[in-house]
Amino acid sequence: MSTAARYPEIDILRGIAIVMMIIFHTLFDLAFFRIQPIDVSDGFWRYFAYATASLFLLVVGVSLAISHARAVSNLHGRALVKKFVVRGAGIFCCGLLVTVATWWYLQEGFVIFGILHLIGVAVMLSPLFFRFRTWNAAIGIVFIVLGWILATIPGPMGLLVFGVHPFTFWSVDYTPIFPWMGLVLIGLAAGEFAYPRGVRKWTFPKLPDQIIAPLSFLGRHSLVIYLVHQPVILLVLYLVTGAPVL
């Protein structure tokens, strides 16, 4: 999407999610490396993490709805499907880089199927769901309910991507298809409603540039920031505290 074609509110929401992610991962690292006694696995910070992931995925869905509405004017059939499969595959490959990096750095608890893997899969599968338009909200709720049910069922690692796994499994980032793709589908429905045929049907309020500019920048470069933010956080913690995080 060209800069002129971008809706600022999408980048702003994505930028807010980036800020929330950096805050949570900084606190997570402080707790993980026992620099500060912060409980990020329960209470407020646990739900803060859920809210961060949810916002990311909802915005993914809205963006997919807009992208699809614009693409159908030029692409059809296999070419249209290919656009989203190729885009999703690229994001999934970025997820694989995270898998390799966390396996090398952590060994235990490394990322097998995290949020980038999920976004990649969701984008690749999105051509199956565009036809349902706002009904995707109902389908998304079904995904979420199934996720809650599957989380109570132990199973082999081969079903990990669907939300079924051994009860002994843990990972620093685990975002299975059920329930989390449900939020992408709800975002798809929201995008169909708020941006019919890819056009905003409401007026975006004027906000100060001091707010819009930095959040929009983060939103436009969210993938790159996601890939580099954790090494930067670790480097800063090492320089500031001297803790053996590197």
Side-chain angles (χ1 to χ4, degrees), residues 12 204-216:
I12 289 171
F204 182 68
K206 178 66 176 177
L207 295 175
D209 288 340
Q210 297 91 329
I211 296 175
I212 292 178
L215 290 176
S216 295

Side-chain angles (χ1 to χ4, degrees), residues 145-191:
V145 172
L146 281 174
W148 290 340
I149 295 171
L150 293 174
T152 66
I153 303 172
M157 289 290 289
L159 297 177
L160 188 76
V161 299
F162 301 108
V164 177
H165 55 80
F167 283 149
T168 56
F169 168 78
W170 78 280
S171 172
V172 293
D173 178 16
Y174 177 47
T175 319
I177 292 173
F178 301 102
W180 290 101
M181 187 170 165
L183 289 162
V184 178
L185 296 175
I186 293 172
L188 260 180

Side-chain angles (χ1 to χ4, degrees), residues 59-69 84 87 122-123 126 130 184 188:
V59 173
V60 167
V62 173
S63 299
L64 281 171
I66 297 171
S67 180
H68 173 257
F84 293 97
R87 179 186 296 179
V123 173
S126 61
F130 289 134
V184 178
L188 260 180

Side-chain angles (χ1 to χ4, degrees), residues 17-152:
I18 285 287
V19 172
M20 293 171 67
M21 176 192 71
I22 292 172
I23 291 172
F24 178 77
H25 284 172
T26 300
L27 295 175
F28 179 90
D29 290 345
L30 287 170
F32 186 82
F33 294 104
R34 300 180 181 179
I35 300 172
Q36 289 292 329
I38 303 170
D39 185 1
V40 295
S41 62
D42 200 6
F44 173 81
W45 290 115
R46 179 180 182 182
Y47 292 103
F48 184 88
Y50 287 159
T52 303
S54 298
L55 180 56
F56 262 121
L57 297 175
L58 287 168
V59 173
V60 167
V62 173
S63 299
L64 281 171
I66 297 171
S67 180
H68 173 257
R70 292 174 174 175
V72 293
S73 61
N74 300 312
L75 300 173
H76 305 280
R78 291 185 178 180
L80 182 62
V81 172
K82 181 181 177 181
K83 169 185 172 69
F84 293 97
V85 170
V86 171
R87 179 186 296 179
I91 297 172
F92 187 83
C93 287
C94 291
L96 294 179
L97 291 177
V98 174
T99 296
V100 173
T102 54
W103 173 83
W104 174 79
Y105 184 72
L106 296 174
Q107 298 293 310
E108 294 183 2
F110 70 95
V111 178
I112 299 176
F113 196 84
I115 196 165
L116 278 188
H117 303 78
L118 173 70
I119 292 174
V121 169
V123 173
M124 287 189 282
L125 293 179
S126 61
L128 298 175
F129 295 93
F130 289 134
R131 70 191 77 179
F132 301 118
R133 299 185 179 275
T134 54
W135 282 103
N136 277 311
I139 300 172
I141 292 172
V142 172
F143 270 60
I144 292 170
V145 172
L146 281 174
W148 290 340
I149 295 171
L150 293 174
T152 66

